[in-house]
Amino acid sequence: AALLMMRKETAKVFDLDDEPGPMREAYGYRSGFGQGCLLARRLVQAGVRFVEVSLGGWDTHQDNFETIEGKAPELDVAVSTLIQDLRSKGLYERTVVLLTSEFGRTPTLQGNDGRDHNPHAFTMWMAGGGVKGGLRHGQSDDYGFYAARDKVHVHDLHATLLALLGLNHEQLTFRHAGRDFRLTDVHGNVVEEIFA
């Protein structure tokens, strides 16, 4: 009986037709990413703790400008609506929203119209869930090639996200084969400057 009830509740969450038409339109419902962001809000509202929504196609080794012009509006509409929707439903303060990509991009062209991967400078943003609004942390050099000030290593990012979720990354250490392991690979400093 409990399994049937879980299935019924899960089906309700995934039925986006339950949403009013104007709300679906606000998310850009016809795009897969817009549907994903709407579903993310519904999952958070239902108590799901971790949700990931992906928008592929950003690996712009060629046709960079055309690709960005096509994808950016879809991303902007869905993410801004997600944040407004989380706020209107009282979920924003307890939901960390992280927008990032797989890699930084070079500030120079690759070929005629592409951009290559850049592991030396990476931009992302966070909102909600204890993050200080309107803050910019870190800075690249004048060309955007290298991180130059207030650098945040990936281990620091993970430690900070865990802290925002109420977890101390240092307490997640376990010993195996004579070595300590944890999610932050026994490294990482919490970047408390970004906390509200």
Side-chain angles (χ1 to χ4, degrees):
L3 184 58
L4 285 174
M5 183 177 255
M6 278 178 46
R7 285 183 182 166
K8 185 177 179 182
E9 290 302 312
T10 301
K12 279 186 200 175
V13 171
F14 281 86
D15 185 3
L16 299 181
D17 290 335
D18 281 355
E19 288 291 327
M23 181 56 70
R24 291 196 314 263
E25 290 298 323
Y27 271 96
Y29 180 70
R30 288 177 179 81
S31 82
F33 186 70
Q35 289 178 25
C37 286
L38 176 55
L39 181 58
R41 191 269 294 154
R42 290 173 63 93
L43 288 166
V44 167
Q45 195 171 16
V48 175
R49 295 192 55 161
F50 299 95
V51 180
E52 178 180 344
V53 183
S54 297
L55 177 59
W58 295 89
D59 197 14
T60 57
H61 294 279
Q62 58 191 15
D63 301 325
N64 177 75
F65 304 104
E66 184 177 314
T67 301
I68 299 301
E69 286 175 11
K71 292 215 166 275
E74 179 181 3
L75 180 101
D76 289 348
V77 165
V79 172
S80 62
T81 302
L82 172 62
I83 289 172
Q84 291 171 10
D85 201 8
L86 289 170
R87 278 192 171 132
S88 74
K89 294 188 172 35
L91 300 168
Y92 181 75
E93 289 74 24
R94 65 182 182 94
T95 305
V96 177
V97 180
L98 169 67
L99 183 66
T100 188
S101 66
E102 56 145 356
F103 238 112
R105 304 306 287 196
T106 56
T108 56
L109 287 178
Q110 177 185 18
N112 291 333
D113 60 356
R115 290 175 70 197
D116 201 358
H117 296 284
N118 183 11
H120 306 292
F122 190 91
T123 302
M124 55 172 283
W125 66 256
M126 300 169 73
V131 175
K132 189 183 297 182
L135 174 73
R136 182 181 71 199
H137 181 84
Q139 183 176 331
S140 68
D141 62 20
D142 289 342
Y143 303 102
F145 248 115
Y146 297 97
R149 194 175 78 207
D150 296 326
K151 298 176 185 180
V152 177
H153 190 278
V154 68
H155 298 311
D156 302 334
L157 171 62
H158 291 160
T160 303
L161 284 169
L162 289 167
L164 287 167
L165 297 172
L167 299 170
N168 180 339
H169 71 109
E170 294 177 352
Q171 293 178 345
L172 301 174
T173 305
F174 66 95
R175 193 149 189 89
H176 175 72
R179 181 174 179 255
D180 287 339
F181 290 87
R182 67 177 180 237
L183 293 175
T184 54
D185 193 27
V186 296
H187 300 285
N189 298 300
V190 176
V191 184
E192 294 181 3
E193 295 88 347
I194 71 161
F195 291 2

